[in-house]
Every structure is written in C-alpha cells, then in structure tokens.
Amino acid sequence: WIQHQDGKLEPEVNINVDDFVEFDGSIVDAIVNFKTGYLKLLKKAERLKIATKSKDSRKIWRLCKVLSEFSEQLESKFIIQDSVETFSKDIRMSIRYIRNCIDFVKYFSYYDVSKKVPFSYYNVVTDFASGLENLKLLKKEKKFLKKCGETNSLPSREQYRNHLRKI
C-alpha cells in the first residue's frame, strides 16, 4: 500500500521490466483494472465480515464467490505471491478463514447452501471436502446438511466433525 499526499491509500504494484515488455496487451490498463477491482473487493469484504455475524450462509456464499472470482481473475493475469495471505492482511480476517471462503465456493454451489445451516458447518465439510470427493461422498454430505437444516436437526459441530473424521 502507498499513501498519496491527500492521505488516500492505494495498493502498490511492482513489476519487472521484462514482464512489462512481454505482457500481452496494456500492462497499465491491467494494473489500473486490478487496483480498481481490488479496492471494490475490500469494500465487499467488509460486508462479508458483517454477514459472518448474521450467520446467513447463502449471503456468505455470495460474498465468498466474489472473493473467489477475483482470485481466479487475478491469477489468470498475474502471479501474486501469497495472495491469500495478502487478502487476509488487507481484509483483516484470518488466512484460514479466507482459504475456507474460497474453498466453500469451490465445493458448494449456491443451491447446496441452506440459510438454516451456520457457515461453521460448511467450514467443517470444506476441511474434509477433497477426501469426501475422492470417496464420492461429498454430494451425500451436502444433502445431509441441507436436510438437517430444514428439519432443524443439526448435530453439534463437534459431533459432525467426528462423523466426518470417521468417514
């Protein structure tokens, strides 16, 4: 981040001369677009923080989707070292939480998510998602969570985590 004379902070972008010359298209336009998009992302991240307190998992999913899409677009044009750590620092949320947000969107569609299931349960599934996917059980767990939310019969998070560990 750099501070202008008027006190306004903006993300700083450093680029190697070779990359500047070899970049496909206008590097200046790409950097301006990145900075504009990043500042918008930070504003939406504030809404993500507020949404985590409301525990509306669908709203959290939509905001996580914004973070995930920005991350994908960014990585398609630039190589950003430690992007999750950078998001974490700028958004002021833990690295694990940012990773979970990105993985939440990777493993769950909007329609897999229930407003009646707290985001913390989706975090538990996300922790085990790759293993469940390999065993072809991820879809079953998504349905289980949604059903439990609709019938108001969620096990405790610890019981659910132990259930997934056994699988």
Side-chain angles (χ1 to χ4, degrees):
W1 290 86
I2 56 171
Q3 186 171 11
H4 294 282
Q5 289 177 346
D6 62 0
K8 184 178 176 184
L9 290 174
E10 283 194 24
E12 179 180 8
V13 178
N14 294 314
I15 189 163
N16 182 319
V17 172
D18 293 336
D19 294 332
F20 183 81
V21 173
E22 295 173 8
F23 192 82
D24 188 28
S26 169
I27 189 73
V28 174
D29 290 345
I31 291 171
V32 168
N33 288 338
F34 161 74
K35 289 172 74 172
T36 303
Y38 195 68
L39 292 172
K40 286 179 184 175
L41 174 72
L42 294 180
K43 287 179 185 172
K44 288 184 181 179
E46 289 302 317
R47 292 190 356 226
L48 176 60
K49 283 185 198 177
I50 293 166
T52 58
K53 293 175 184 164
S54 75
K55 299 182 182 178
D56 181 345
S57 294
R58 282 191 155 188
K59 186 173 186 177
I60 294 171
W61 185 92
R62 285 192 307 269
L63 293 166
C64 289
K65 180 79 172 164
V66 171
L67 177 64
S68 177
E69 286 175 347
F70 184 83
S71 182
E72 286 175 22
Q73 290 172 357
L74 181 63
E75 290 172 6
S76 71
K77 288 202 176 222
F78 299 102
I79 297 171
I80 306 293
Q81 292 181 330
D82 305 323
S83 62
V84 172
E85 289 82 354
T86 301
F87 290 154
S88 170
K89 181 180 176 192
D90 292 342
I91 295 172
R92 293 183 195 97
M93 296 176 92
S94 74
I95 292 170
R96 182 170 187 229
Y97 198 87
I98 298 297
R99 249 189 222 113
N100 281 350
C101 286
I102 292 170
D103 288 345
F104 181 37
V105 172
K106 177 181 173 184
Y107 292 113
F108 288 88
S109 77
Y110 179 78
Y111 301 103
D112 292 330
V113 179
S114 171
K115 282 184 171 186
K116 297 180 180 182
V117 177
F119 180 58
S120 58
Y121 281 82
Y122 293 111
N123 275 338
V124 171
V125 175
T126 299
D127 288 342
F128 293 93
S130 63
L132 290 169
E133 206 169 46
N134 289 338
L135 295 169
K136 301 193 185 320
L137 295 172
L138 182 59
K139 191 174 184 176
K140 179 182 173 186
E141 288 304 318
K142 289 179 189 180
K143 287 179 182 178
F144 173 76
L145 267 185
K146 196 163 190 173
K147 180 183 170 196
C148 286
E150 298 304 319
T151 60
N152 210 13
S153 60
L154 281 168
S156 73
R157 265 196 321 263
E158 196 54 41
Q159 287 173 327
Y160 189 58
R161 184 176 294 280
N162 287 335
H163 161 74
L164 292 175
R165 281 187 185 124
K166 288 178 185 175
I167 292 175

